[in-house]
Amino acid sequence: MSVSTTTPASDTAIHELTPAQKKKESRRVILSSYLGSSIEFYDFLLYASASALVFPTVFFSDLDPLAGTIASYGTFAAGYLARPLGGAIFGHFGDKLGRKKMLVLSMFIMGIASTLIGLVPSAEMIGSWGAVILVMLRMFQGIAVGGEWGGAALMALEHSEKGRRGFAASFTNAGAPTGAALGTFVLGTFAAVLPQEEFLSWGWRVPFLLSFVLLVIGMIVRSKITESPIFLAALEKEKNEPVKAKKKLPIVEVLRRPKALILTMLAGASGFALQVLLSTFSVSYATEFGAERSSVLYAFAFASVASIFFVIYFAHISDRFGRRPVMLVGLALFVAFLQPFFAMMRSNNWA
């Protein structure tokens, strides 16, 4: 592990904390990870709903409806393509410079990118350049959330006690449905109260502009946490080690064992596939069968709230029975649920 040679005094002081103080700091870090993840996924998944309901009309109005929807989903996909890059970049520098700095930077990038999305001129004003700018900002979102998710989970895990690490890290995962619920609820509210023309003209922009307010809140919360004790211990160890041959980069060390990395990525991809299915395709799919746009968004928000508690509960179960059994059961249930899921989307029944 390669680390920098400087760290703030406030972070170094964590070694001198009593067990009770360390427990309190752990709770603060877990709360920070949850809030930070919620804010970032509010931004990231708000785009998902907008790509289904707004962007085909606003940025791809020169295409037929189907082609416009496909093009809109293409810009949405750009964020997911950029996420691995963000994870690699922020993970690498997190090992060298510290987790806290990278989490603050990822939140800043996400907040600014999301705010700017709310300011992108429509196709009627600048033509295809609007879509180009949209893709660029979406890629910045992807890079930021790639760094946020892994870094926040790692911070919560490294501050927690052995035997509770799954539970601690789960609050970062719980931030995703929290952010999704908040984003879809806000967008759904504007879609419900505004006429269609006004919503497509300016109403959809307000939830994105609110990202700046969330950015300020998140930066304040995140600035108050301490650095990872595991990172600080590695920093201290490296200071006391004699000068040795040049060490390999963190990313090179990870890629030396590609099998576990690839299998974990593929297993995680299936879970994210459900997230994408719910937040994008299912919204437009349900509306095509007659469901009201705002009702579908509220239903998705309700489902996201419910999933918060299941994320935390099953993480707690994984601390007792292991990660692998919980993952396998979850994947099996996901596959079994797909067929009835599409039947429910066609039912035109909110419940």
Side-chain angles (χ1 to χ4, degrees), residues 268-335:
S270 58
F272 283 111
L274 175 61
Q275 181 187 83
V276 175
L277 178 70
L278 285 171
S279 58
T280 56
F281 178 74
S282 64
V283 176
S284 56
Y285 185 78
T287 54
E288 284 292 323
F289 282 90
E292 292 185 4
R293 177 182 55 199
S294 58
S295 296
V296 176
L297 290 173
Y298 286 145
F300 176 52
F302 177 79
S304 297
V305 170
S307 72
I308 296 170
F309 301 98
F310 284 104
V311 166
I312 297 173
Y313 174 74
F314 283 112
H316 173 66
I317 293 296
S318 77
D319 281 330
R320 296 187 59 188
F321 300 102
R323 323 296 181 207
R324 187 181 179 190
V326 174
M327 283 186 65
L328 291 175
V329 171
L331 291 174
L333 292 175
F334 168 41
V335 173

Side-chain angles (χ1 to χ4, degrees), residues 106-136:
S106 69
M107 178 170 285
F108 179 78
I109 293 173
M110 174 63 85
I112 296 301
S114 299
T115 303
L116 291 177
I117 288 174
L119 299 174
V120 177
S122 65
E124 293 181 357
M125 297 180 64
I126 59 172
S128 60
W129 280 107
V132 172
I133 297 171
L134 199 64
V135 171
M136 291 177 59

Side-chain angles (χ1 to χ4, degrees), residues 37-293:
S37 180
S38 298
I39 291 170
E40 295 237 8
F41 276 93
Y42 166 86
D43 295 332
F44 193 71
L45 295 177
L46 174 63
Y47 190 106
S49 298
S51 68
L53 300 177
V54 177
F55 294 161
T57 303
V58 175
F59 295 105
F60 302 99
S61 55
D62 56 332
L63 303 176
D64 66 72
L66 177 59
T69 300
I70 294 173
S72 178
Y73 284 163
T75 68
F76 172 74
Y80 277 90
L81 293 175
R83 280 185 69 169
L85 176 62
I89 293 173
F90 281 89
H92 169 77
F93 286 103
D95 281 344
K96 293 179 68 67
L97 304 176
R99 324 293 192 210
K100 180 178 174 180
K101 292 177 182 178
M102 293 300 102
L103 285 175
V104 170
L105 179 59
S106 69
M107 178 170 285
F108 179 78
I109 293 173
M110 174 63 85
I112 296 301
S114 299
T115 303
L116 291 177
I117 288 174
L119 299 174
V120 177
S122 65
E124 293 181 357
M125 297 180 64
I126 59 172
S128 60
W129 280 107
V132 172
I133 297 171
L134 199 64
V135 171
M136 291 177 59
L137 293 174
R138 179 59 178 171
M139 291 189 71
F140 277 113
Q141 277 194 324
I143 291 172
V145 83
E148 161 68 26
W149 187 83
L154 199 58
M155 276 285 277
L157 183 149
E158 291 181 347
H159 273 85
S160 64
E161 302 173 358
K162 188 176 181 180
R164 292 177 57 86
R165 289 174 177 170
F167 178 75
S170 72
F171 283 86
T172 301
N173 284 343
T178 303
L182 181 61
T184 50
F185 177 78
V186 173
L187 190 67
T189 299
F190 278 89
V193 301
L194 292 176
Q196 173 83 349
E197 185 176 341
E198 291 186 28
F199 174 71
L200 293 176
S201 175
W202 61 269
W204 69 269
R205 298 180 183 273
V206 179
F208 283 97
L209 297 177
L210 288 175
S211 298
F212 190 78
V213 178
L214 296 177
L215 170 63
V216 174
I217 296 172
M219 296 289 278
I220 293 172
V221 172
R222 189 150 278 177
S223 67
K224 296 182 180 297
I225 63 172
T226 56
E227 182 56 89
S228 160
I230 292 179
F231 173 79
L232 293 177
L235 176 68
E236 193 69 27
K237 181 179 178 182
E238 186 167 285
K239 281 183 180 180
N240 297 327
E241 284 180 349
V243 178
K244 295 182 179 180
K246 185 177 180 182
K247 296 182 179 181
K248 293 183 178 180
L249 295 174
I251 191 170
V252 174
E253 294 180 7
V254 171
L255 293 176
R256 288 176 61 187
R257 298 183 295 274
K259 181 180 177 181
L261 179 66
I262 292 172
L263 290 176
T264 303
M265 287 174 60
L266 292 175
S270 58
F272 283 111
L274 175 61
Q275 181 187 83
V276 175
L277 178 70
L278 285 171
S279 58
T280 56
F281 178 74
S282 64
V283 176
S284 56
Y285 185 78
T287 54
E288 284 292 323
F289 282 90
E292 292 185 4
R293 177 182 55 199

